Structure formats: structure tokens, C-alpha cells
Amino acid sequence: MTRLLLAAVLAGGLATALPAAAQFKKPEDAIKYRQSAMTLIAHHFGGLAAMAQGKVPYDAKAATFNADIVATLAHLPFTAFGEGTDMDLHTKAKEAIWKDPAKFKAAQDKLFAAVTKLDAAAKVGTVDALKPAVGATGEACKGCHDDFRSK
Amino acid sequence: MTRLLLAAVLAGGLATALPAAAQFKKPEDAIKYRQSAMTLIAHHFGGLAAMAQGKVPYDAKAATFNADIVATLAHLPFTAFGEGTDMDLHTKAKEAIWKDPAKFKAAQDKLFAAVTKLDAAAKVGTVDALKPAVGATGEACKGCHDDFRSK
């Protein structure tokens, strides 16, 4: 189900299929991987948010680039929450991730839908198209962080 | 020049243009960003290398996915070697990056050419097509690390 869904979401993008779960030698590798993906997502989404909020001038090419990166990378962290990756001190991941996988999956799906729309909105080429898509994506980020990530 | 070159390299891929340099509030942010990109690149290239070396079964969809990620992300770290980002203790970046920018640029160009071929090779759908492209990409990684990254 997850594979099918991800494949469908990604069909219009970079990848033809997302492996169901990435392979990691150690739990620490998975944690570093998902945190790295989140760092990049935060950076490129931050660029879009700054444009949407008028903090930097709107730049259609930069918007498309950032949105494409975000839409691609949004899928990666979720391949790295396998068993045993909740044990490290250097993770803010909450137990709810493993205790309520259906809710965690729903939060991911919300994000995937939002970033697909974000990618499309960036391609429109106007800041007015970008604004609501940035808002919806930011809500999806925040909702998941509120429930599944410690402060 | 860099913008044009990157735009040309990326023309067939995800992005329509790569901003010349990403914006970072602090040097530490740039270092974390480029290290995060390298972590993801290493992971996805590792998946390709394992297939090329016969350590894991060849999987055409996973190969395409990994190669697309590598080809996209390969460009990102190099937007984050701006002035002042050589001062942090938590970086293995050598001074040569800033002392010999032409050589550093040539090493990047070698990588960009290699990952473009890697992406195309993965789409062929055979391990025999993948092997030489993985080898060439690995050489580009190693060459740059040898010259510009401390052990």
C-alpha cells in the first residue's frame, strides 16, 4: 500500500518508484539520514516561505527549484523510522511514531499531498499561487511535528 | 558561468535552474546543510554501489530512484561553501576549496558530468549499464575528497 501510494505520488516527479524502506546498517545511520533530509527540506521550504511572506523578492525559478527539492525530499525521512531507531539520544522522534503508525502514516500522506500541490503551485509562476500552497505545507509540517517530534 | 552550467546540466532533470548560492543565516547553517546533502548522497550512492558490486540484487526501480536522488542532490553541497564557512571545527573542508576555486570547480564539473551519466545509465535498466557509471561517479567523489576533504 505504501509503495503503491508513494509510486503514484511520485509518478509525475523525479522517481519512478520509492523503495519501501531504505537499508541502514545501524539505527544511528537511519537517524542521521532522516535528520539530514529534514535539514535540507527545512532549508528549501524556508526559501519558499520567505518568498510567500514577502521577506525576499519572489523569484519564479528559485521557487520552482525549491519546491521540486522539497517535493522529492519530503518522502525520504519516512523510509528511516524503522525498528530500533527510537533508541538514540540524538533523536527528537516521539514514541507515538511507533505506537500509532496509522496516525503517523496519515500525517505523511497529508504532507505528500501538500508538497505535490506546492510543486504545482510553484510552476504557476506567481507569488499569489505560491502563498496558499506554502501555508498548507507548513501546516502539514507543523501538525506532524506537534504530534511526533519533541520540542 | 556557474549558473549557466548548472542550468544546462539540470535542464533534463528536476530543476529548471539552480540558484547561484543558497542563502544561509550563519556559516554553521551552511556547513550543516552541505553535510546533510553529502549524507543523503552517500546513502543513495551506496545503494547503487552495492548493486554494481553484486552485494545486493540488482533492482532497476531502486537503481533509477537512487540515481535520480544522487543526480539532483549532487549539486546542492556546492552552494554552501561560501565565505566564512571554513571556520567551524565541525567541517572537514580543506583550505584548498577557497585557495584554488578553479580546481574545486573542475572537481564539481567532473561530478556533475558523472551523475548525469549515472542517471542515464540507471534508466537503461541493467546492472552492466550501471557498473561503469557507478565507477566513474565513485572516482569523481574520491578525487574531490582526496583534494578538498580532510580524513
Side-chain angles (χ1 to χ4, degrees), chain B residues 135-146:
Chain B
T137 304
E139 271 178 38
C141 295
K142 186 180 181 305
C144 196
H145 287 177
D146 284 349

Side-chain angles (χ1 to χ4, degrees), chain A residues 58-118:
Chain A
Y58 177 73
D59 175 331
K61 282 192 175 178
T64 306
F65 178 76
N66 284 326
D68 279 335
I69 295 284
V70 169
T72 302
L73 296 186
H75 297 265
L76 301 187
F78 304 104
T79 65
F81 285 95
E83 266 186 60
T85 66
D86 55 341
M87 302 182 309
D88 194 276
L89 287 174
H90 302 291
T91 176
K92 290 179 181 167
K94 284 187 185 173
E95 262 199 306
I97 289 171
W98 295 274
K99 289 208 166 171
D100 195 346
K103 191 178 177 186
F104 187 49
K105 171 74 166 55
Q108 293 169 43
D109 289 347
K110 188 176 174 182
L111 175 67
F112 298 159
V115 297
T116 300
K117 286 184 188 172
L118 179 69

